[in-house]
Amino acid sequence: MPPEQAEGARVADGATLYLRQATLDDAEFVRTLVTQPSWVRSIAASGVVSQEDARQYIQTRLLDRYATHGFGLWLVARQADCRLIGMAGLVHRDSLPGPDLGFALLDEHVGRGYAFEAASVVMRVARLRYGLAELYAVVKPDNRRSIQLLQRLGFAYRHDQLGTDGLRLQIHHCALAPGTDAGVASS
């Protein structure tokens, strides 16, 4: 197994953050992140209540997707103290022609530039490691903060589509030019 696919392996570094794969030992952090009201409001109810639910979530929504697609949502940690602060990565959806960018932070870390940095690192990884020429992003229309961040990252609104739960979602798109930093925002 290549080092970047080892359990808990570091995926990429940013200036103040790094991305790493999740492990089952991250259950308490993941439970806290996916049950905070902002996750439920901006993404969806996770169904996670207990520590065991969180371990199952990690296995099926993170680890299994690394194995199936070679990528997924990675945990975001600060370089200075290795503290986990969120998730960011690439999501495979059958409803889209390519992977989409996903990101979420613990509420206490919102508004500090971390989501921008984490998303920028994901975009760089998408282009350089996976050779992706474009990325999508799925967002609820009332999630202004995420929409503004996507625009800052170079995404543009493409169209609306109904989610599996019947709710309207916005689809945004960004072209990633190979061999350049196009589509990878600088701080």
Side-chain angles (χ1 to χ4, degrees):
M1 166 184 309
E4 67 273 6
Q5 292 181 4
E7 185 175 296
R10 196 176 276 225
V11 174
D13 292 291
T16 65
L17 304 173
Y18 65 91
L19 305 177
R20 74 163 173 83
Q21 289 193 356
T23 72
L24 294 175
D25 292 335
D26 296 313
E28 183 56 32
F29 169 76
V30 169
R31 187 189 66 75
T32 300
L33 179 66
V34 304
T35 60
Q36 67 183 357
S38 61
W39 179 286
V40 175
R41 181 179 57 255
S42 299
I43 299 171
S46 65
V48 171
V49 177
S50 68
Q51 194 82 347
E52 186 51 40
D53 293 338
R55 290 173 63 82
Q56 184 65 29
Y57 184 96
I58 292 169
Q59 184 62 57
T60 60
R61 306 292 266 328
L62 304 178
L63 302 178
D64 289 354
R65 292 180 183 179
Y66 302 155
T68 301
H69 304 294
F71 56 75
L73 289 170
W74 301 298
L75 301 186
V76 178
R78 293 189 304 209
Q79 295 275 13
D81 59 8
C82 300
R83 182 168 180 208
L84 295 174
I85 64 167
M87 267 197 263
L90 301 169
V91 179
H92 171 82
R93 297 178 201 256
D94 291 335
S95 62
L96 294 175
D100 73 270
L101 171 69
F103 52 86
L105 297 176
L106 290 172
D107 289 341
E108 66 195 79
H109 299 289
V110 170
R112 299 180 185 181
Y114 292 142
F116 179 82
E117 181 179 346
S120 296
V121 171
V122 170
M123 292 172 73
R124 188 176 70 236
V125 168
R127 183 175 42 80
L128 297 176
R129 183 173 299 161
Y130 298 106
L132 298 175
E134 60 185 358
L135 279 180
Y136 295 85
V138 178
V139 64
K140 290 182 177 178
D142 62 347
N143 189 344
R144 294 302 316 152
R145 186 175 211 120
S146 288
I147 291 169
Q148 290 170 345
L149 177 60
L150 290 171
Q151 291 169 343
R152 192 169 161 218
L153 289 164
F155 282 79
Y157 169 81
R158 187 168 253 191
H159 64 270
D160 285 355
Q161 107 181 11
L162 289 180
T164 55
D165 55 6
L167 294 177
R168 186 171 62 94
L169 300 170
Q170 287 186 357
I171 307 302
H172 294 250
H173 176 264
C174 181
L176 303 172
T180 70
D181 283 340
V184 179
S186 58
S187 307

